[in-house]
Amino acid sequence: MALSNESFPGDIKLTPSQEEEEEGSKNEIPGQTKTSTARVLSQEELDRLGGERALVSGFKQMKLEKEAQKNWDLFYKRNTTNFFKDRHWTTREFEDLKACREFESQRLVLLEAGCGVGNCIFPLLEDDLNIFVYACDFSPRAVEFVKQNPLYCPERCCAFQCDLTQDDLTANVPEGSVDVVTLIFVLSAVHPDKMKLALQNISRVLKPGGIVLFRDYGLYDHAMLRFKAGSKLGENFYVRQDGTRSYFFSKEFLVELFEEAGFQCVANDYVLRETVNKKEGLCVPRVFLQSKFTKPGQSESS
Ligand SMILES: C[S@@+](CC[C@H](N)C(=O)[O-])C[C@H]1O[C@@H](n2cnc3c(N)ncnc32)[C@H](O)[C@@H]1O
């Protein structure tokens, strides 16, 4: 039975207007602030967060982990390609993507890990002709949507299904061949205990000196404070009503994680912006973490 039809006590039900608040939605107010310090919560927000101590039972947590792939696949069955907005900011905000060429005519090789239906890669492919993109996701449906996109062509992209935490990426991507890996709102969907495995897997296909561009939910994002009782899986880790999970990253947690997997930190900042929830007439604070890590070159690592 589909997990989304089962009721976990206290599950939150996302209304369409709340779903629109997701990153990249049309309700975002232009303008954002980069900051090195975490968002400061009001007393009311602190109380709300601190009041939630009970965790989802171990049995349900195991079930969620076992069914993670199924739950994302069902997400794409329900939403097809309509949920996430194309992420045009990839080139706007990740200037590095273009700057990381050693010479102008270099064909950049990119891996979009956890590509969903391709909202990140297709704007990039449209924008930059001299790029080859590997794109993987563990939802077979999402990968199929990527392949059906009119902009998909085998000369410029290769999409494949894989679980980043257990399927060796080198089965589809030559070892040490990738210049840039993008991890956009993906690691948050992975169980914290398995995040390091995903990063080690990514590291194998990245060139020495290659970079990982990361953007994901930051600590105290509005979405984190919105979870109701019964949705908490662990510290900063929650389950949505449809069974998909979300971790909210602090800068410190992320750096430690990447360093343990052998990367070096180049940039790591919270991005603060506001989103309007028109129905509720509210302006809500969004917090994302935008970071850049590098795989040390041979001389640097020894
Ligand atoms: C929030 S979506 C982001 C999609 C895309 N990066 C974007 O920015 O539009 C998270 C994606 O991560 C994928 N995902 C979650 N866990 C994964 C895993 N262990 N291996 C591969 N993909 C995973 C999900 O299937 C989902 O498509």
Side-chain angles (χ1 to χ4, degrees):
M1 187 174 55
L3 196 77
S4 54
N5 293 331
E6 294 175 355
S7 56
F8 286 177
D11 271 351
I12 61 156
K13 198 159 181 71
L14 289 177
T15 66
S17 66
Q18 283 170 322
E19 285 173 357
E20 277 178 23
E21 289 171 21
E22 289 294 318
E23 159 69 353
S25 86
K26 50 187 170 295
N27 289 336
E28 263 171 34
I29 300 171
Q32 60 179 27
T33 318
K34 272 193 177 182
T35 160
S36 57
T37 48
R39 190 183 148 222
V40 178
L41 296 182
S42 67
Q43 192 55 48
E44 193 222 320
E45 289 171 322
L46 278 171
D47 292 346
R48 204 180 328 147
L49 215 53
E52 171 61 339
R53 295 218 167 73
L55 300 184
V56 169
S57 74
F59 174 78
K60 279 177 190 157
Q61 297 226 22
M62 269 168 55
K63 188 166 153 64
L64 286 168
E65 178 60 20
K66 218 169 119 215
E67 297 184 345
Q69 179 188 3
K70 189 179 87 178
N71 290 332
W72 272 107
D73 208 49
L74 287 171
F75 172 89
Y76 290 112
K77 184 178 182 188
R78 281 191 305 277
N79 296 293
T80 66
T81 55
N82 300 322
F83 190 81
F84 300 114
K85 212 181 84 164
D86 273 356
R87 301 191 193 277
H88 288 281
W89 46 261
T90 319
T91 37
R92 198 176 65 224
E93 290 178 6
F94 286 138
E95 285 299 323
D96 310 289
L97 211 56
K98 287 185 170 168
C100 68
R101 280 197 174 87
E102 282 168 40
F103 49 96
E104 219 179 308
S105 59
Q106 185 186 354
R107 186 176 220 207
L108 273 190
V109 179
L110 195 121
L111 166 67
E112 158 79 333
C115 60
V117 296
N119 295 88
C120 248
I121 61 165
F122 290 117
L124 271 183
L125 282 164
E126 259 183 320
D127 212 42
D128 187 338
L129 295 174
N130 204 9
I131 198 163
F132 184 91
V133 179
Y134 290 100
C136 68
D137 200 281
F138 79 163
S139 156
R141 242 186 210 100
V143 172
E144 212 30 60
F145 279 127
V146 169
K147 288 184 173 171
Q148 282 166 13
N149 190 302
L151 287 168
Y152 185 87
C153 71
E155 290 78 39
R156 301 191 62 209
C157 14
C158 168
F160 59 97
Q161 191 273 333
C162 102
D163 179 346
L164 287 167
T165 67
Q166 59 179 29
D167 302 326
D168 192 341
L169 280 167
T170 60
N172 288 283
V173 184
E175 198 166 338
S177 66
V178 173
D179 297 291
V180 184
V181 174
T182 48
L183 263 180
I184 314 295
F185 294 92
V186 172
L187 218 50
S188 55
V190 171
H191 193 288
D193 291 351
K194 293 190 174 175
M195 288 176 185
K196 189 172 155 190
L197 288 173
L199 295 184
Q200 288 167 331
N201 200 2
I202 282 166
S203 178
R204 276 192 284 279
V205 295
L206 196 59
K207 283 179 183 167
I211 60 169
V212 180
L213 299 177
F214 171 96
R215 186 172 170 110
D216 217 321
Y217 296 107
L219 190 67
Y220 304 147
D221 177 42
H222 175 72
M224 175 173 173
L225 302 174
R226 211 174 59 190
F227 281 103
K228 298 276 184 330
S231 322
K232 190 166 178 173
L233 300 169
E235 200 187 353
N236 305 331
F237 193 38
Y238 296 83
V239 60
R240 302 186 185 94
Q241 196 257 342
D242 64 2
T244 62
R245 297 165 298 173
S246 187
Y247 187 85
F248 295 83
F249 291 92
S250 71
K251 282 175 60 174
E252 295 75 17
F253 176 90
L254 194 75
V255 167
E256 204 178 316
L257 183 70
F258 269 83
E259 285 182 351
E260 278 177 14
F263 291 90
Q264 284 172 0
C265 182
V266 179
N268 192 25
D269 284 304
Y270 293 108
V271 173
L272 309 181
R273 56 170 40 164
E274 299 208 312
T275 312
V276 178
N277 182 323
K278 282 186 194 142
K279 262 193 188 156
E280 293 169 27
L282 286 176
C283 209
V284 297
R286 303 305 316 255
V287 183
F288 306 112
L289 191 57
Q290 184 162 314
S291 316
K292 179 178 165 184
F293 295 90
T294 182
K295 173 176 167 174
Q298 263 126 16
S299 55
E300 295 163 87
S301 56
S302 57

